[in-house]
Amino acid sequence: MSSIVWKLVGPGAGILATAVASRLTKKIWVTATGSPPPDNPEDPDVAWKEAVVWALASGAIIGLTRLVVERQAAVWYRKSFGELPPGLGPGDDGAVEANS
């Protein structure tokens, strides 16, 4: 049952965080520059500087927001179920251990 809960909570937290961070990033951009962010930074008509700054700013803010929200979701899960969510415990990184 608990793994089913995490399959809903984990992605849900990520989606919510991305939506909130995206809106926050746009508001910060408008406040800092006085103009709306580029609709499509890949458009060759958008200046390189603007496209690069937008990519760095939006990537950093969205990534950091997702990290914070998903960590808090994992804290809630551990408090609720007494263990870390599936895939977050020690040795759950998918790496193969070397035999010595």
Side-chain angles (χ1 to χ4, degrees), residues 9-24:
V9 171
I15 290 168
L16 177 64
T18 301
V20 169
S22 179
R23 292 184 73 191
L24 177 65

Side-chain angles (χ1 to χ4, degrees), residues 45-81:
D45 292 334
V46 173
W48 268 104
K49 181 180 177 182
E50 183 179 26
V52 170
V53 172
W54 173 251
L56 291 172
S58 62
I61 293 170
I62 291 170
L64 182 59
T65 304
R66 285 192 62 167
L67 173 67
V68 169
V69 169
E70 290 173 358
R71 283 179 60 104
Q72 286 306 115
V75 167
W76 167 83
Y77 183 94
R78 182 168 43 191
K79 285 181 182 178
S80 298
F81 296 100

